[in-house]
Amino acid sequence: MANIIVLGAGIGGMSAAYELRATLGREHAITVVGDGVQFSFTPSNPWVAVGWRTPAAIQVEAPIYLAKKGIAFESAGALRLDPDANQVHLGDGRSLSYDYLVIATGPRLAFDEVPGLGPDGGFTQSVCTTPHAQDAWLAYQDFIEDPGPVVVGAAAGASCFGPAYEFAMILDADLRKRKLRDKVPMTFVTSEPYVGHMGLGGVGDSKGLLESQFRQRHIKWITNARITGVREGEMDVSEVDAKGEPVQTHVLPFKYSMVLPAFTGVDAVRQVKALCNPRGFVQIDAHQRNPTWKNIFSLGVCVAIPPVEVTPVPTGAPKTGFMIESMVTAVAENIRADLTRQPAEAVATWNAICLADMGDTGVAFVALPQIPPRNVTWAREGKWVHLAKVAYEKYFLMKIKSGNTEPVYEKYVLKLLGILRTR
Ligand SMILES: Cc1cc2nc3c(=O)[nH]c(=O)nc-3n(C[C@H](O)[C@H](O)[C@H](O)COP(=O)(O)OP(=O)(O)OC[C@H]3O[C@@H](n4cnc5c(N)ncnc54)[C@H](O)[C@@H]3O)c2cc1C
């Protein structure tokens, strides 16, 4: 019997635990180590920030549902890893031993890279975690009592641009509903070289589509932008040219701001230097396996992948939900292969599929494979995307409760579209 520890109870970790159980059967022990007991459906955080969802509506108590599949849960979080001793040291002083470790700890939010950025001691809101989104909603309720300029965007080094676009459009839709939009000048500030780059070098005509949405919604934008500092009600932004040379500085006033930070690996993981790249993301080979410690696999936002292309202000490549699920399948298949002394050869497709909600409409992006040139690349806008995103939320929360890792929709619909999890 093997002892498998999955670190992190987010989209990647929960999916991995269930898929390992389905792939390996009941004879192996699986334990999820979470940071608290809640699973949060992160893609719905922008809705929490405008009061369209409560935190409770998008959170699930992970241990209850994992237990139904015979998966143990530890809520104390990992403080430190000792990969030479195959041990995880927990926040409550205990240690767990493992035969295989699956690291799915998501990102550390690097607000500290820009003075004044972020909700904890800074001046901007965040939708990166559900508690942040709840705080953003409290600040938004004060803002709508006394509205003014809004700045939404993504900092230098950010890789997750979709939620910044979503939040700008959702805010616009919400303010229109409240008949307050005329009192709110909005600016989108991003490290991307152009609107719709998304850290992916663009997807189909994402540039045209998103610029058109911004124009229709009276949202101004500044690209190739590095946010250099934030004070109460003001943001300093340096705009650069294609060579990265400063061309203009802006001081943007705001009464409400939400900015996505750059990410690094989390502390428990990044302190093991030989496991990670310089930003603390876990080094993996084509089979999601760490090259130094072969019994460590990793998936989700915490894995090291290179940027799709060099940009004047640094940007990273996003790791979206379906891409993460393809990594999950590859990890489960490779651990099974290793346990039966077969070569671990499964390779995740890393296909990027993303539904970006815009409050009343939305844009769907499909990039197969993630890095251009691609076999399939398109972006389409329509109300159906908004509805599809709502359906996706319900479907994913149902999946977390049922532990069914590849329900009918994924098995048949995505296969019909030629979207597979592994090669
Ligand atoms: C606001 C937002 C919206 C997004 N929307 C979409 C979308 O619509 N579609 C899409 O495809 N992708 C979306 N993404 C991208 C991606 O799908 C999500 O970020 C997803 O949550 C990543 O999953 P993950 O498991 O890698 O990380 P996470 O979901 O962040 O999970 C990591 C988990 O590990 C835990 N953890 C951290 N450190 C420790 C530790 N030391 N010990 C134990 N546990 C630890 C964390 O608390 C967390 O629960 C979005 C991202 C954000 C931030």
Side-chain angles (χ1 to χ4, degrees):
M1 183 194 81
N3 232 329
I4 303 164
I5 294 184
V6 178
L7 265 195
I11 285 183
M14 291 293 284
S15 304
Y18 284 133
E19 189 135 346
L20 281 162
R21 175 56 80 225
T23 307
L24 304 181
R26 290 264 176 174
E27 75 240 45
H28 301 288
I30 302 172
T31 304
V32 174
V33 175
D35 217 0
V37 294
Q38 299 288 353
F39 163 82
S40 295
F41 185 64
T42 305
S44 295
N45 287 347
W47 290 335
V48 172
V50 291
W52 295 1
R53 290 286 184 285
T54 60
I58 63 158
Q59 289 181 316
V60 166
E61 276 210 24
I64 299 174
Y65 298 99
L66 290 169
K68 291 183 183 170
K69 295 279 175 184
I71 300 169
F73 189 85
E74 295 285 351
S75 63
L79 203 60
R80 201 164 52 81
L81 309 185
D82 185 350
D84 288 327
N86 296 329
Q87 287 212 318
V88 175
H89 299 282
L90 303 181
D92 61 6
R94 288 177 304 131
S95 304
L96 301 178
S97 298
Y98 60 82
D99 298 304
Y100 293 94
L101 177 65
V102 178
I103 302 176
T105 41
R108 183 185 77 92
L109 309 171
F111 292 115
D112 51 329
E113 293 178 358
V114 181
L117 197 70
D120 303 319
F123 304 95
T124 56
Q125 302 300 324
S126 157
V127 293
C128 291
T129 66
T130 306
H132 280 174
Q134 172 69 358
D135 288 346
W137 164 231
L138 295 177
Y140 185 59
Q141 289 171 80
D142 289 340
F143 167 78
I144 54 185
E145 293 297 315
D146 182 21
V150 160
V151 178
V152 174
S159 50
C160 187
F161 295 97
Y165 286 97
E166 283 192 308
F167 191 66
M169 313 278 190
I170 288 170
L171 214 52
D172 164 77
D174 190 73
L175 289 165
R176 274 187 283 119
K177 272 191 209 151
R178 294 176 190 274
K179 310 248 181 294
L180 290 175
R181 184 65 181 85
D182 59 327
K183 296 185 171 55
V184 181
M186 283 180 74
T187 309
F188 189 81
V189 177
T190 179
S191 47
E192 298 157 280
Y194 52 85
V195 165
H197 180 278
M198 315 284 292
L200 287 167
V203 181
D205 188 25
S206 52
K207 179 175 190 287
L209 265 174
L210 290 169
E211 280 187 357
S212 164
Q213 283 293 327
F214 276 174
R215 273 191 287 270
Q216 282 175 45
R217 293 164 188 256
H218 305 283
I219 299 173
K220 292 183 180 161
W221 65 82
I222 306 172
T223 54
N224 274 334
R226 182 189 289 276
I227 299 169
T228 53
V230 190
R231 296 174 296 283
E232 174 92 58
E234 270 185 347
M235 185 179 291
D236 296 325
V237 175
S238 169
E239 186 182 345
V240 305
D241 63 15
K243 290 184 183 148
E245 299 297 329
V247 286
Q248 205 179 342
T249 55
H250 306 259
V251 179
L252 302 176
F254 67 85
K255 275 219 166 143
Y256 188 91
S257 175
M258 196 297 293
V259 174
L260 294 178
F263 293 162
T264 71
V266 303
D267 291 340
V269 173
R270 69 180 178 148
Q271 64 197 357
V272 186
K273 301 269 185 255
L275 185 68
C276 302
N277 76 1
R279 298 278 299 171
F281 292 108
V282 182
Q283 302 274 16
I284 49 164
D285 63 14
H287 312 292
Q288 309 292 134
R289 191 173 205 174
N290 183 257
T292 309
W293 289 282
K294 301 278 186 195
N295 60 341
I296 298 184
F297 290 79
S298 187
L299 57 94
V301 171
C302 62
V303 300
I305 58 173
V308 163
E309 60 186 8
V310 176
T311 50
V313 179
T315 55
K319 294 138 195 169
T320 57
F322 189 79
M323 204 188 278
I324 294 171
E325 293 201 62
S326 80
M327 298 185 208
V328 164
T329 299
V331 167
E333 286 180 13
N334 286 332
I335 291 181
R336 175 174 55 186
D338 208 63
L339 279 167
T340 53
R341 305 196 191 290
Q342 303 294 312
E345 288 175 334
V347 177
T349 51
W350 292 29
N351 290 329
I353 309 168
C354 188
L355 304 174
D357 180 52
M358 295 179 174
D360 39 12
T361 178
V363 177
F365 304 96
V366 177
L368 320 179
Q370 185 206 32
I371 295 170
R374 302 185 176 115
N375 296 320
V376 182
T377 174
W378 55 261
R380 307 233 168 92
E381 185 258 327
K383 281 198 193 324
W384 66 271
V385 182
H386 173 69
L387 299 173
K389 183 113 192 191
V390 175
Y392 183 66
E393 176 197 59
K394 308 286 172 241
Y395 149 80
F396 205 94
L397 288 169
M398 179 273 291
K399 180 163 141 170
I400 290 296
K401 288 180 179 171
S402 71
N404 184 359
T405 55
E406 199 189 25
V408 182
Y409 151 81
E410 287 190 18
K411 210 170 202 158
Y412 299 109
V413 180
L414 294 180
K415 267 183 197 154
L416 264 181
L417 292 170
I419 299 170
L420 303 176
R421 287 190 184 192
T422 51
R423 287 186 201 146

